[in-house]
Amino acid sequence: MATTEAELTATIAAKVAAKVPRARYAGIAQFVGDNAGAGPTGPAGPTGPTGATGATGPTGPTGATGSTGPTGPTGPAGPGFSDGDKGDIVVSSSATVLTIDTAVVTNAKLATVATSTIKGRSTAGTGAPEDLTASQVKTLLAISASDVSGLATVATSGSASDLGAGSLPAARMPALTGDVTTSAGAVSTTIAADAVTFAKMQNIATSTLLGRSTAGTGDPEALTASQAKTLLAIAVGDVSGAAASATTVTAGAGLTGGGDLSASRTLNVAANADGSIVVNADDIQVGVLATNAQHGNRAGGALHADVIAAGASGFMTGADKTKLDGIASGATVAPALSSSTPAAVGTATVGVGTTTARADHVHAHGDQLGGTLHAVVGASAGFMSAADKTKLDGIANGATVGASFQAALIATSLRL
């Protein structure tokens, strides 16, 4: 190996320093240094001892990767399989053919798959199975309505009118308008403001009001008039024109009761002592003639006019009664035996009474003088008619029915 000039200089300097005094070394070193580049290089001296190892310098850059060396020789062959059944596989053809047994590759031995995937193949052409998504499987299967058993008509028509049972999902609900509204796709309904008219409210009984008397907040109730008045607590000041309780109702003539209006008051009609007016619980009864005092002189009939011949009907006088009692039943007035036609019997007229009732006659009797309110005597006893009075006056006292009368009656009848 060639020695550089610098190395040679360093070697000489080291040897000189080891054998020459320091003072002389300085001169020699100077001489060597001054003349180093002058003469030819001398022969290399022997290699000096190895100096101490210097500090490690910084790591240099990595060099380029070398080329791959040649392949080494093939090692000796290891022990091989013998032919036969080895569990899930069968070894044959001098251990050169391995065959997987039927039905031994379980799901656990398959390659793992992601969640919600199915083994299949959607790539065109024959090839290895692939992990398919649900969307890829549905596309591959091309499922139609006929492939799904039990589908309702609505499933294929898409019309809500074909929904024979069940409920539509909320998302299919349309928006409702009118008295009740909803948003599309929702089933929560809202009654529109002012939509509930009186006709749409539930029926209530006659003479009731809507309100609430039950304690606490709650539904409206049908209140009776009594409940409504209790709730309102109506005072005199709440009623326009109402009298205060200091106002007094005074019973007038013929009445009893009354008082101030702090409570309900009753006015009663006073009954007459003789009973001509009877006051009942719910009416006043007038004209109950229970005594002579109420009717007047009922026994004598002095309050009624006597019957007048050829006039108005009335009461029978005592004299007429005596006369009538003396006449035999069936007696008639004997007509004069003459050739002239008997006079026609006059027609009685009903008189009109003008005399007012007596002071002791305490009830309205109607026509006192004429007696038209009383039945005329017939088969039953009653008032005498004016015609009967005329007939009675034409009969002599003590007259009886006789043969002479009958003969004269026959003769008269023949002449007629």
Side-chain angles (χ1 to χ4, degrees), residues 8-333:
L8 180 59
T9 301
T11 301
I12 295 171
K15 291 182 176 182
V16 171
K19 296 181 177 182
V20 179
R22 188 173 183 82
R24 295 182 66 185
Y25 164 74
I28 294 172
Q30 181 65 44
F31 171 80
V32 173
D34 290 342
N35 296 279
T41 302
T47 301
T50 302
T53 302
T56 302
T59 302
T62 302
T65 301
S67 58
T68 301
T71 302
T74 301
F81 284 120
S82 60
D83 291 350
D85 191 343
K86 307 299 181 182
D88 290 346
I89 64 173
V90 175
V91 180
S92 62
S93 301
S94 300
T96 59
V97 177
L98 303 179
T99 303
I100 299 174
D101 289 341
T102 302
V104 296
V105 180
T106 62
N107 289 336
K109 294 174 181 177
L110 292 174
T112 57
V113 296
T115 302
S116 300
T117 57
I118 298 175
K119 286 290 185 182
R121 183 176 176 82
S122 62
T123 302
T126 303
E130 302 168 334
D131 293 335
L132 305 181
T133 64
S135 175
Q136 290 174 311
V137 172
K138 287 189 286 186
T139 300
L140 185 151
L141 296 176
I143 301 171
S144 64
S146 60
D147 296 324
V148 182
S149 63
L151 281 181
T153 305
V154 68
T156 56
S157 69
S159 174
S161 62
D162 291 327
L163 183 63
S167 302
L168 286 174
R172 296 294 306 278
M173 289 294 294
L176 301 180
T177 60
D179 291 346
V180 179
T181 63
T182 61
S183 300
V187 294
S188 177
T189 58
T190 301
I191 299 176
D194 303 325
V196 181
T197 62
F198 289 152
K200 294 174 182 176
M201 297 172 66
Q202 73 174 49
N203 293 335
I204 58 176
T206 302
S207 300
T208 55
L209 302 172
L210 287 181
R212 183 174 177 84
S213 62
T214 303
T217 302
D219 295 332
E221 302 167 334
L223 304 181
T224 63
S226 175
Q227 289 174 312
K229 288 189 286 187
T230 300
L231 186 150
L232 295 175
I234 302 172
V236 174
D238 298 324
V239 183
S240 175
S245 60
T247 302
T248 300
V249 176
T250 303
L255 301 175
T256 61
D260 62 48
L261 300 181
S262 60
S264 298
R265 301 300 179 188
T266 301
L267 294 176
N268 297 314
V269 179
N272 289 342
D274 61 6
S276 60
I277 297 179
V278 178
V279 181
N280 299 316
D282 54 1
D283 65 359
I284 299 175
Q285 187 174 349
V286 180
V288 178
L289 305 179
T291 66
N292 288 338
Q294 294 175 18
H295 187 276
N297 188 3
R298 295 190 303 167
L303 299 182
H304 296 279
D306 293 338
V307 67
I308 301 172
S313 302
F315 271 15
M316 178 182 288
T317 63
D320 287 341
K321 174 60 176 171
T322 300
K323 182 178 179 179
L324 187 60
D325 288 342
I327 300 174
S329 298
T332 60
V333 176

Side-chain angles (χ1 to χ4, degrees), residues 307-314 345-351 370 376-377 383-393:
V307 67
I308 301 172
S313 302
V345 178
T347 301
T349 59
V350 179
V376 178
V377 66
F383 271 17
M384 177 182 285
S385 67
D388 287 343
K389 174 61 177 172
T390 301
K391 179 179 179 180
L392 186 61
D393 287 344

